[in-house]
């Protein structure tokens, strides 16, 4: 495994749309492992492939304290959104900053895991926020375009 360089705001790759993963190849397993290592190293709760310069629909998320139960979503499709939450959000591609974003409070997603098995995951609260943030990355959308008011200096480690 290896740490990858996290692309930051201003890098045009962050605004491009990602392609579907059609087949799990060894180098994609390596990418997923590297993304997890890079996310944990940066103390983030989520990371999308374009943030490490790869335009593929892959995200990793871990909102748990222990950091041992990561979620890998390949080709995620949001099936359902409901409710509303307004709170602080950050992004590893916008280091040291945070902003207030309103998101759905519940999300249901269909995706493939690292073995390319299709599954469905539901999330609420922080998990729902992280999933929506990461899926946005795959469409080239950064949270800074959804911030209510100004970006502020981050006070907590919830970067995605
Ligand atoms: Zn992000």
């Amino acid at each position: 495994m290896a740490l990858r360089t996290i692309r930051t705001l201003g890098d045009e790759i962050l605004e491009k749309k990602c392609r579907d993963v059609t087949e799990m190849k060894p180098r994609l397993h390596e990418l997923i492992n590297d993304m997890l290592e890079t996310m944990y190293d940066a103390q983030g709760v989520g990371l999308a492939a374009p943030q490490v310069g790869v335009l593929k629909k892959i995200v990793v998320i871990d909102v748990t304290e222990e950091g041992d139960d990561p979620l890998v979503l390949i080709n995620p499709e949001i099936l359902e959104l409901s409710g509303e939450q307004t709170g602080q959000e950050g992004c590893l591609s916008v280091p040291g900053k945070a902003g207030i974003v309103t998101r759905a409070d519940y999300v249901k997603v269909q995706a493939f895991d690292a073995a390319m098995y299709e599954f469905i995951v539901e999330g609420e609260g922080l998990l729902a926020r992280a999933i929506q943030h990461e899926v946005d990355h795959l469409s080239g959308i950064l949270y800074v375009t959804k911030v209510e008011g100004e970006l502020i200096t981050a006070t907590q480690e919830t970067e995605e």
Side-chain angles (χ1 to χ4, degrees), residues 15-97:
E15 293 177 22
K16 293 189 170 164
K17 286 187 170 31
C18 293
R19 291 180 296 275
D20 280 328
V21 173
T22 52
E23 186 186 358
M24 186 47 58
K25 294 177 181 157
R27 64 181 179 83
L28 288 182
H29 274 297
E30 195 180 309
L31 170 67
I32 291 166
N33 287 333
D34 288 355
M35 284 172 65
L36 286 165
E37 192 181 354
T38 303
M39 174 181 77
Y40 289 129
D41 180 72
Q43 295 181 293
V45 299
L47 190 70
Q51 292 182 276
V52 293
V54 179
L55 289 172
K56 294 266 187 200
K57 289 185 185 170
I58 302 174
V59 308
V60 296
I61 292 171
D62 190 345
V63 298
T64 66
E65 294 280 310
E66 301 78 21
D68 60 1
D69 191 22
L71 193 57
V72 176
L73 302 177
I74 296 171
N75 302 342
E77 297 274 355
I78 290 180
L79 301 177
E80 215 177 304
L81 293 169
S82 67
E84 197 175 279
Q85 56 173 319
T86 298
Q88 192 170 308
E89 194 163 315
C91 180
L92 292 173
S93 293
V94 191
K97 298 288 183 189

Side-chain angles (χ1 to χ4, degrees), residues 51 90-93 133-134 137 142-143 160:
Q51 292 182 276
C91 180
L92 292 173
S93 293
H133 177 113
E134 300 311 331
H137 271 298
L142 293 172
Y143 89 99
E160 300 163 45

Side-chain angles (χ1 to χ4, degrees), residues 125-143:
L126 178 58
L127 178 57
R129 175 178 294 281
I131 289 172
Q132 291 166 81
H133 177 113
E134 300 311 331
V135 170
D136 272 355
H137 271 298
L138 303 181
S139 302
I141 298 167
L142 293 172
Y143 89 99

